[in-house]
């Protein structure tokens, strides 16, 4: 037995981190497991430098800073982090549950709260980038400073592509966006901002080849109509979207609605002692926002507290009364 806790939170994104805080507030021991190597979920992996504007109390907060604050908040109760470890199996044992991890570890818990977001996500590869990953080709930009003074080519037409272009423009030697269509999926105001900065945007274009001695040095692009261009590039950001699924969680005996877990008003799933919150949870009228996930995390943990101790009060009291 690797670990025994009252609540195992599966997913260490914003909802999971807040759930860890709230579990501690309810005097429940808690651990978080996540297949990603760092806490923060999609925010850490995909847009740590992006400003988020719809978190209550913050006119604007950078993704990285929000995650750091959530970690500090949860740390008050000293949760256990099992990062870079995938939750694979779930079984009922006596009056609790056992979660088997992909590396052979086992967690014994009295309840599970799934806060897995969109599930496990895998970036779509850049066809011409085969063999170049880690040698100049990246899917995410966790640290902007690593690309200071570089020529950067961003491939894609969605929000991530234009967010990276906007964030990298002040520090990179050059930024160029390459997209295979003439229209974009990105938020129009962000596209407008990138255009107004003078960032070159090459549309109806395909990346043909990456070249360099050991690392990427240049990118050859074919434009509709037959024209070709060779762009200097020490970094190529392949922002082509991703595929996602629930992975092993989908076999845990919960009711699924497409790639989401169906819950009731207490955030309880179809399986006893298993709850879900955040983007992974589904019910009529659901709105997928970070702010929504925070409220669902509190609802789930308070109902878990009552499930584990029927004599406990659902309402935990106000945190401002706690020392």
């Amino acid at each position: 037995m690797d670990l025994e806790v009252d609540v195992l939170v599966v997913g260490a994104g914003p909802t999971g981190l807040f759930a860890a805080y709230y579990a501690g507030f309810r005097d429940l021991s808690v651990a978080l497991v996540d297949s990603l190597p760092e806490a923060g979920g999609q925010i850490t992996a995909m847009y740590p430098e992006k400003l988020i504007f719809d978190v209550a109390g913050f006119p604007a907060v950078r993704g990285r800073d929000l995650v750091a604050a959530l970690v500090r908040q949860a740390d008050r109760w000293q949760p256990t982090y099992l990062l870079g470890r995938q939750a694979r199996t779930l079984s009922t044992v006596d009056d609790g549950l056992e979660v088997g991890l992909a590396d052979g570890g086992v967690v014994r818990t009295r309840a599970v709260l799934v806060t897995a977001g969109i599930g496990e996500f895998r970036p779509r590869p850049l066809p011409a980038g085969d063999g170049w990953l880690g040698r100049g080709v990246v899917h995410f930009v966790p640290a902007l400073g690593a690309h200071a003074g570089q020529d950067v080519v961003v491939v894609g037409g969605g929000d991530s592509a234009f967010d990276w272009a906007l964030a990298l423009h002040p520090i990179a030697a050059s930024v160029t966006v390459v997209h295979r269509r003439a229209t974009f999926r990105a938020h129009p105001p962000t596209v407008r901002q990138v255009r107004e900065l003078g960032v070159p945007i090459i549309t109806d274009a395909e990346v043909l080849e990456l070249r360099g001695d050991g690392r990427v040095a240049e990118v050859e692009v074919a434009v509709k109509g037959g024209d070709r261009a060779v762009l200097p590039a020490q970094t190529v950001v392949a922002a082509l979207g991703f595929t996602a699924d629930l992975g092993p969680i989908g076999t845990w005996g919960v009711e699924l609605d497409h790639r989401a877990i169906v819950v009731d008003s207490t955030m309880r799933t179809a399986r006893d002692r298993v709850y879900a919150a955040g983007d992974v949870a589904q019910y009529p009228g659901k709105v997928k926002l970070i702010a929504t996930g925070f409220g669902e995390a509190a609802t789930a943990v308070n109902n878990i507290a009552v499930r584990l101790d029927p004599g406990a009060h659902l309402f935990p009291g106000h945190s401002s009364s706690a020392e």
Side-chain angles (χ1 to χ4, degrees), residues 3-272:
L3 183 68
E4 189 165 344
V5 292
D6 292 321
V7 182
L8 178 66
V9 178
V10 181
T15 298
L17 290 168
F18 188 64
Y21 160 77
Y22 224 96
F25 180 63
R26 290 303 307 247
D27 201 26
L28 300 170
S29 59
V30 62
L32 300 98
V33 61
D34 200 302
S35 59
L36 294 174
E38 296 180 72
Q42 291 179 65
I43 289 180
T44 297
M46 299 179 66
Y47 50 95
E49 301 295 337
K50 184 177 179 180
L51 288 173
I52 302 169
F53 298 96
D54 59 356
V55 176
F58 293 92
V61 59
R62 201 167 299 279
R64 184 189 301 281
D65 296 336
L66 176 62
V67 170
L70 286 163
V71 169
R72 288 196 304 272
Q73 184 180 35
D75 279 352
R76 175 177 181 180
W77 310 112
Q78 299 181 316
T80 299
Y81 289 92
L82 305 171
L83 301 177
R85 304 176 74 178
Q86 182 195 49
R88 181 164 289 180
T89 62
L90 177 67
S91 55
T92 300
V93 180
D94 299 327
D95 61 345
L97 302 167
E98 278 190 0
V99 175
L101 308 183
D103 60 7
V106 176
V107 179
R108 178 74 179 270
T109 183
R110 300 172 68 200
V112 168
L113 174 54
V114 181
T115 58
I118 60 172
E120 297 180 13
F121 55 93
R122 291 171 292 279
R124 290 192 173 94
L126 176 67
D130 188 32
W132 291 96
L133 192 63
R135 298 195 295 133
V137 172
V138 300
H139 293 292
F140 310 119
V141 186
L144 292 175
H147 307 288
Q150 292 185 344
D151 298 298
V152 180
V153 172
V154 181
V155 184
D159 285 321
S160 293
F162 279 87
D163 286 341
W164 294 134
L166 200 60
L168 288 164
H169 177 264
I171 65 169
S174 69
V175 177
T176 303
V177 176
V178 177
H179 184 41
R180 61 194 177 98
R181 296 191 180 95
T183 58
F184 308 103
R185 290 175 287 105
H187 196 44
T190 308
V191 176
R192 185 168 58 251
Q193 280 182 280
V194 171
R195 289 190 187 279
E196 290 173 350
L197 287 171
V199 172
I201 302 175
I202 304 174
T203 58
D204 291 320
E206 177 186 2
V207 174
L208 288 182
E209 185 181 4
L210 308 184
R211 294 193 285 263
D213 185 11
R215 284 188 59 85
V216 172
E218 59 184 28
V219 177
E220 183 176 357
V221 175
V223 184
K224 187 177 180 180
D227 292 339
R228 295 194 178 191
V230 177
L231 309 172
Q234 293 79 56
T235 295
V236 177
V237 182
L240 302 172
F242 51 85
T243 59
D245 61 63
L246 288 177
I249 295 172
T251 67
W252 285 6
V254 296
E255 181 185 350
L256 300 178
D257 180 1
H258 295 89
R259 291 194 299 267
I261 299 173
V262 176
V263 298
D264 63 15
S265 61
T266 70
M267 312 311 297
R268 184 172 60 88
T269 73
R271 182 160 183 173
D272 186 34

Side-chain angles (χ1 to χ4, degrees), residues 285-312:
K286 170 66 179 256
V287 178
K288 293 187 177 183
L289 294 172
I290 292 174
T292 306
F294 290 157
E296 292 173 354
T299 297
V301 171
N302 283 313
N303 280 280
I304 288 171
V306 174
R307 172 64 182 84
L308 300 184
D309 177 8

